[in-house]
Amino acid sequence: QVQLVQSGAEVKKPGASVKVSCKASGYTFTNYYMHWVRQAPGQGLEWMGIINLTDDIKSYAQRFQGRVIMTRDTSTSTVYMELSSLRSEDTAMYYCARDGPNNFDYWGQGTLVTVSS
Amino acid sequence: SYKLTQSPSVSVSPGQTARITCSGDALPRRSAYWFQQKPGQAPVLVIYKDSERPSGIPERFSGSSSGTTVTLTISGVQAEDEADYYCQSTDNSGIYVVFGGGTRVTVL
């Protein structure tokens, strides 16, 4: 069965970077794109970007341009999202989600990133 | 930037019908998707391509589209349907994903 398993919670200081991983299993990794979505405490869903797992082409939401980098490792079926220059407003749950035949069809369990001095 | 607008909340008694709307200028040209999110859980897709229901989603969930508005309807609401619901689509380019602000459904 399809599974997306994300790395554990992180606590970072303002100005630092964080790298979250998302390991996929149960399907052919390169057949589908992967999204990253975040959700601040008590807030709605916010799309961060998408990565093509075949050719490594990415599209990032405008508000994250220059601060986010999405990468993938096809040998381990793992996708990474790195966010730099962290500020308190980046405290959120970060999700990976597969762009399947019906759009966001499978989601990771989420990774809580806390930014605090 | 492109926005999808949802009403913040809907309250409904068990067995009644809940309707959640989502408005956006590109919706006549772009498919809409609906997600249910319960506290502490990842979102779950309940409707795709405006009105299609994924396998495993109860028949009481349905979707429709008219002009710049899409609607998620929950018929015969059950207590377990209490959750936040988000619409999602893309801008006119088809590349950039947008989520609505979410609608909290409260079952009285």
Side-chain angles (χ1 to χ4, degrees), chain B residues 23-68:
Chain B
S23 300
D25 290 342
L27 289 176
R29 297 171 294 282
R30 296 293 169 193
S31 291
Y33 302 79
W34 289 96
F35 297 87
Q36 176 194 69
Q37 187 180 34
K38 296 182 179 178
Q41 298 182 18
V44 173
L45 181 69
V46 295
I47 293 290
Y48 66 97
K49 294 181 182 175
D50 294 346
S51 59
E52 301 296 318
R53 194 172 50 251
S55 61
I57 300 301
E59 290 184 10
R60 63 181 181 273
F61 289 89
S62 63
S64 62
S65 175
S66 177
T68 59

Side-chain angles (χ1 to χ4, degrees), chain A residues 39-91:
Chain A
Q39 186 172 35
Q43 302 301 307
L45 302 172
E46 182 176 30
W47 182 72
M48 300 182 70
I50 185 171
I51 178 170
N52 181 326
L53 302 180
T54 298
D55 60 17
D56 202 30
I57 293 177
K58 302 106 170 176
S59 291
Y60 300 139
Q62 190 169 12
R63 65 170 293 178
F64 297 106
Q65 292 273 4
R67 266 207 320 142
V68 70
I69 300 174
M70 296 177 187
T71 56
R72 95 282 194 227
D73 182 344
T74 57
S75 69
T76 60
S77 299
T78 303
V79 184
Y80 300 91
M81 186 284 300
E82 184 171 16
L83 188 63
S84 59
S85 302
L86 290 170
R87 33 203 186 242
S88 59
E89 309 89 89
D90 294 317
T91 293

Side-chain angles (χ1 to χ4, degrees), chain B residues 1-102:
Chain B
S1 59
Y2 182 53
K3 292 188 191 304
L4 295 175
T5 301
Q6 296 181 238
S7 52
S9 63
V10 168
S11 296
V12 60
S13 299
Q16 299 301 302
T17 296
R19 292 183 180 84
I20 305 163
T21 60
C22 171
S23 300
D25 290 342
L27 289 176
R29 297 171 294 282
R30 296 293 169 193
S31 291
Y33 302 79
W34 289 96
F35 297 87
Q36 176 194 69
Q37 187 180 34
K38 296 182 179 178
Q41 298 182 18
V44 173
L45 181 69
V46 295
I47 293 290
Y48 66 97
K49 294 181 182 175
D50 294 346
S51 59
E52 301 296 318
R53 194 172 50 251
S55 61
I57 300 301
E59 290 184 10
R60 63 181 181 273
F61 289 89
S62 63
S64 62
S65 175
S66 177
T68 59
T69 299
V70 293
T71 302
L72 173 69
T73 301
I74 312 173
S75 305
V77 165
Q78 300 183 7
E80 68 203 50
D81 301 329
E82 187 163 281
D84 294 327
Y85 291 84
Y86 295 91
C87 62
Q88 177 261 308
S89 186
T90 58
D91 66 0
N92 278 315
S93 74
I95 298 172
Y96 296 100
V97 170
V98 179
F99 287 95

